[in-house]
Amino acid sequence: MKLEKFSVTGSRLTGAAVEGSLSVSLYKIDAPQNAGYSNFGELLRKKLPQFGGGVGTINEAFGNGGSGQGTISLRNLPLSRTLFLLNGRRTNADINLIPTTAIDSVEVLNDGASAIYGSEAVAGVVNVKLKRDYEGGEFKARYANTTDTDVGETRFGLVWGARLNGKTSLTVSVEHAERNLLMTPDREVSTPSGDSVSATSNPGLLTPNSTAAQRLAANATIAGDAGHVAGVTNVNVLVPLRWFVDTSGAALTAASQVPAGFNPAVFLTLPSSMSVTARNTARDAQEAALNAGLPASSPVRYGPNKVLLPGLAAGYPFGYYTYAYRPAESTAITFAFDHEISENLSFFSNVLLSRNESSNALAPSPLSGRTVPTTNYWYGQVFPAAAAAGNSFGYGYRPSELGPRITYNKFEDIEITAGFKGTFAEKWNYEVAYMRNELKVVSTQTGGVLSAVYNSALAGTTAATAFNPFSFTPLFSTTSPGNPDALISTFRGSASETDRFVTNQVDANVGGEVFDLPAGPIAVSVGAEYRKETEDDLPDSSLQTGAVFPFNIVSPFSGAREIVSYYTELNVPVVKSFSVGLAGRVEDYSDAGNTGLKPRVSFRWEPLSKELTIRGSWAQGFVAPSLTALDAGSPSQSFNEIFNPVTGIRTQATAGTIEIGNAGLQPGESDSYLIGAVYSPKVVKGLTVGINYYRIDETNIPFTSDQYIVNQWFAAGPTNAANPFGPTAAPSAQNPLGAQVEMNVDGSIRQVRNVGPINSGDRHTDGLDFFGSYYVPTTAVGDFTFDISATKVLNFEQENFPGAGSIDYLGYYWPDGSALGNFGFPIWKGSTSLTWKKNSYLASVSYNYVDGYTEINDDTDPTDDNKVGSYSTVDVRLGYTLPWVDAQLTVGVNNVTDVQPPFIASSFENQYDRAIGDIRGRVYFVELSKKF
């Protein structure tokens, strides 16, 4: 079979025209120092300093907030700024759908390439190349586990290839992998502590609702109650005292169980001019005073709730139910087929069939915002006076009896590419291909509560039909002392959702040498691409109607668009040592419009022949809005934590956030710069060192934030009837989407509506990449290879809305609720490795480093911030070729010193930075590879 010209990620040109002109990091999966990782995503997270940290990274540690997929994002930027390719074409697959056994190499382009590939190639491109034209076979097996033996992993793979008649090549790979789960309390750093609790708990928290007569008697104001007495201004508010059942494993069923004098419907009458914070302080003091008068054995207490476990604040320790590391099972098959039809024409095809299943667990459902009405049978039995007075109760409760909520995620991907390629006129080549990629994602959520059934039971009028809210089920118990299993089982609900993403693409390009200049030939490539993207999201009826609580409401969605692209690339050798590259691309979206010409200009200068190369590029890029981002007609619900500037408390809105799309959304724009040098001195053979400076400026970024909306609402005045961010506000220049923040009477946030993306943000980041390698072959004691790579980020700033002020993220970990919250932005990240090989033996040791940063606990009080230490791990590999079976045996340990990721108090769920750290700790592995 003819030897093909090679191509490099980031260019459509082939051969010498592109060699050395681009900054591309190459990772060979079979290299000794790269063995032993769970998947190539973990490999890149340790070895590639541009990856890890910042937003956009999802891995196996993402239970809540993840779906079982694995993603790569470069330069600390969101995921949509890194283009992910499979065999040079964009794909719907993710890390966990691509079998490691089938991978030949991973190429990472370190600068922008929208002129070459289109949308998303802003921070760089990651291209996974699968094996093809393979001869023979290889069987691989891997087992790994922690030294605590609690996260076992197995992987078996087979790759086989053959050539027939010198014209046909077939390569096939098969892989199956499984991984166990790790619970959050199984590691010290993630064990819930302090305030890692939820206010919605078991026992439930009850707060009385005042009656109209009570408000009138106190001359108190409440929503809809103003002006009880003509001519009298309401000057007071009623603040309810909270209470809960304080007898573990028991339930109240009769009034005789309640201490004399305990009143479940107690209110403080306070001036309306008093701040909410002052009211809460007065409430806390009154609750403590009343508790002091109760007997020590009292089964009821006033206050926010009880402490359920030592070392924790009052509330529900949700982390004891969650996964810190997701269990998974995956199977994948790949095919690569090539057939030479004639000397100048070949047929090629690639097939990927892959499935990945994983799950995640969360604590029992938080049933907040519920009401215990006066009709509840048990209410009348235990507190007959309060029931007769007409006081209902606000009620927050977690049904421990139902157990955790478990979500099962299944990804199924089918990708088929087929085409023809060939040569003509000696120096010209062409390729035309069709690709279809279909990704199906099925998510099933269990452990929910049927809202209507539960509400009906809360209003039940008989002992058989009424839910007893005065019951306390101990943690991890599945039996309620006050409610029969038969009643509890009627609440149990589940929900499912199916997403389908389909891409059909036809592309064609032709390239070659136009004519020769004194310094060499001008190389050119031109091409066109047609792509149709469809997305269908079908939630079941329970998700559409909100019938199962607390699962977010999801609207069905179906969308499609067509994209037509034209691109060209040119390389001009000005003189022997200096060449200039030009590229441009135009894309026309059927929904988002024409992007205009996106250019890239690059140069390559070799002032010292074969020793020093200086290269640079400037490129404009864009990120097209997603189909769902453009859809304003399918609102969805989420329960993000929001800092309430009125109460000073960060919590979820009681009715959640309602998110919508924006049909007028435009692509985000970018300018990317890179200049660098690579030096390979002839006097030190085998040595290569280099440095890159990069800069990325983004404008017109689509930005969505319920927290920003709440901040703007507060700045415009909570009592301002004309507040442009208020609950009935019309769309305006300040707030294009209208009607947003609605409050409860106690100052908490009820709901934030119409939260959608707006082209309003700017972002700037720049930094330095350092890299080097030194290969010392054939010494008396063996061959040595030394590799090092590091990135120092110089700036990372973002302004969300014009006039909002630029936020400096670099060197900080911002809490959940911030625009780029729940992720750290380290200044330094790097890795170095030393590998030795002699005859049948090899050894490799790697050191991986992530710089520390500052945790922002309260962005209004810098003195409340915490210093987060650096994170360093050491990985070791030992290899030996078994002579009697001619098989390669590799054993090793990742994180030899069992370092735990640094503690971060505000981290979402697991108290460390999941994008950077590995919660498993020390992991040993054994790999066996046999070629035949």
Side-chain angles (χ1 to χ4, degrees), residues 49-380:
Q50 302 96 301
F51 170 44
V55 294
T57 298
I58 299 175
N59 54 52
E60 290 71 24
F62 283 71
N64 198 357
S67 62
Q69 66 178 153
T71 64
I72 298 175
S73 68
L74 303 176
R75 306 299 188 194
N76 296 328
L77 296 174
L79 176 62
S80 59
R81 272 64 177 172
T82 298
L83 180 61
F84 189 58
L85 305 177
L86 181 62
N87 293 321
R89 288 179 171 84
R90 61 178 61 233
T91 178
N92 292 323
D94 63 76
I95 290 172
N96 294 329
L97 288 168
I98 300 177
T100 302
T101 303
I103 297 175
D104 177 68
S105 63
V106 180
E107 293 182 350
V108 180
L109 178 69
N110 297 316
D111 59 354
S114 284
I116 307 300
Y117 298 112
S119 179
E120 301 171 33
V122 171
V125 179
V126 177
N127 183 21
V128 178
K129 293 185 175 182
L130 301 186
K131 293 173 181 175
R132 67 183 318 113
D133 200 19
Y134 194 87
E135 288 190 88
E138 183 177 10
F139 172 77
K140 293 185 174 183
R142 176 182 187 269
Y143 175 77
N145 209 332
T146 65
T147 48
D148 293 316
T149 65
D150 53 8
V151 195
E153 296 180 351
T154 56
R155 183 171 70 220
F156 300 96
L158 176 68
V159 59
W160 173 86
R163 291 184 179 181
L164 305 174
N165 302 321
K167 292 181 177 291
T168 303
S169 172
L170 174 64
T171 303
V172 181
S173 77
V174 181
E175 181 178 282
H176 180 78
E178 297 183 16
R179 180 181 66 241
N180 295 335
L181 66 86
L182 179 71
M183 295 298 294
T184 294
D186 290 341
R187 293 294 183 270
E188 182 179 356
V189 68
S190 58
T191 298
S193 62
D195 293 329
S196 299
V197 293
S198 168
T200 305
S201 189
N202 188 330
L205 187 65
L206 295 113
T207 54
N209 296 316
S210 59
T211 65
Q214 288 171 319
R215 295 190 295 273
L216 182 60
N219 189 28
T221 180
I222 197 170
D225 257 4
H228 287 304
V229 180
V232 177
T233 302
N234 294 317
V235 294
N236 296 322
V237 294
L238 288 180
V239 178
L241 301 193
R242 305 157 294 179
W243 66 276
F244 59 91
V245 176
D246 193 26
T247 301
S248 180
L252 304 182
T253 58
S256 59
Q257 296 171 273
V258 181
F262 182 85
N263 183 359
V266 181
F267 302 87
L268 287 179
T269 302
L270 299 173
S272 59
S273 59
M274 182 181 289
S275 70
V276 172
T277 300
R279 293 176 201 166
N280 290 342
T281 300
R283 177 198 59 192
D284 295 345
Q286 183 64 19
E287 290 170 344
L290 291 176
N291 279 334
L294 293 174
S297 60
S298 175
V300 289
R301 297 281 173 191
Y302 295 100
N305 218 299
K306 69 177 298 181
V307 175
L308 298 180
L309 290 173
L312 287 166
Y316 203 79
F318 55 87
Y320 277 88
Y321 288 87
T322 61
Y323 294 168
Y325 207 76
R326 300 176 68 107
E329 180 177 351
S330 62
T331 303
I333 303 173
T334 68
F335 300 89
F337 179 79
D338 295 276
H339 176 65
E340 185 178 331
I341 299 172
S342 68
E343 183 179 359
N344 297 319
L345 176 63
S346 297
F347 171 80
F348 68 94
S349 65
N350 305 289
V351 177
L352 169 66
L353 307 174
S354 185
R355 182 187 67 188
N356 177 48
E357 297 182 54
S358 68
S359 61
N360 177 55
L362 298 174
S365 300
L367 305 178
S368 58
R370 302 292 155 148
T371 299
V372 179
T374 57
T375 59
N376 181 276
Y377 172 81
W378 299 109
Y379 181 16

Side-chain angles (χ1 to χ4, degrees), residues 265-546:
V266 181
F267 302 87
L268 287 179
T269 302
L270 299 173
S272 59
S273 59
M274 182 181 289
S275 70
V276 172
T277 300
R279 293 176 201 166
N280 290 342
T281 300
R283 177 198 59 192
D284 295 345
Q286 183 64 19
E287 290 170 344
L290 291 176
N291 279 334
L294 293 174
S297 60
S298 175
V300 289
R301 297 281 173 191
Y302 295 100
N305 218 299
K306 69 177 298 181
V307 175
L308 298 180
L309 290 173
L312 287 166
Y316 203 79
F318 55 87
Y320 277 88
Y321 288 87
T322 61
Y323 294 168
Y325 207 76
R326 300 176 68 107
E329 180 177 351
S330 62
T331 303
I333 303 173
T334 68
F335 300 89
F337 179 79
D338 295 276
H339 176 65
E340 185 178 331
I341 299 172
S342 68
E343 183 179 359
N344 297 319
L345 176 63
S346 297
F347 171 80
F348 68 94
S349 65
N350 305 289
V351 177
L352 169 66
L353 307 174
S354 185
R355 182 187 67 188
N356 177 48
E357 297 182 54
S358 68
S359 61
N360 177 55
L362 298 174
S365 300
L367 305 178
S368 58
R370 302 292 155 148
T371 299
V372 179
T374 57
T375 59
N376 181 276
Y377 172 81
W378 299 109
Y379 181 16
Q381 296 297 308
V382 181
F383 300 105
N391 291 106
S392 62
F393 286 90
Y395 185 51
Y397 175 74
R398 285 184 186 260
S400 296
E401 315 85 58
L402 291 179
R405 292 164 286 162
I406 299 180
T407 300
Y408 300 92
N409 301 107
K410 180 168 68 173
F411 289 72
E412 294 179 341
D413 189 61
I414 301 175
E415 183 165 324
I416 301 173
T417 304
F420 296 91
K421 57 186 175 183
T423 61
F424 65 95
E426 295 186 2
K427 296 182 179 181
W428 288 81
N429 58 78
Y430 64 91
E431 180 174 306
V432 58
Y434 165 76
M435 185 272 289
R436 176 181 173 84
N437 186 201
E438 180 174 340
L439 174 64
K440 179 182 177 182
V441 184
V442 179
S443 299
T444 302
Q445 303 176 78
T446 66
V449 174
L450 295 172
S451 183
V453 177
Y454 177 69
N455 288 342
S456 177
L458 278 175
T461 57
T462 68
T465 61
F467 176 82
N468 187 343
F470 314 124
S471 177
F472 177 14
T473 303
L475 284 173
F476 319 116
S477 175
T478 57
T479 302
S480 170
N483 297 286
D485 292 344
L487 177 64
I488 294 295
S489 64
T490 64
F491 304 158
R492 190 181 301 274
S494 61
S496 64
E497 180 179 2
T498 300
D499 292 332
R500 191 184 302 272
F501 306 87
V502 179
T503 300
N504 285 282
Q505 176 177 306
V506 177
D507 57 75
N509 66 75
V510 58
E513 298 176 359
V514 182
F515 54 82
D516 290 337
L517 294 177
I522 294 178
V524 65
S525 176
V526 296
E529 180 179 294
Y530 166 81
R531 188 168 77 250
K532 183 175 182 179
E533 299 174 345
T534 62
E535 179 179 347
D536 295 287
D537 182 4
L538 183 60
D540 65 11
S541 59
S542 61
L543 286 178
Q544 294 184 41
T545 61

Side-chain angles (χ1 to χ4, degrees), residues 3-25:
L3 180 66
E4 298 182 9
K5 292 183 177 181
F6 65 86
S7 60
V8 177
T9 299
S11 177
R12 303 285 184 178
L13 303 176
T14 59
V18 71
E19 184 178 8
S21 62
L22 301 172
S23 176
V24 177
S25 303

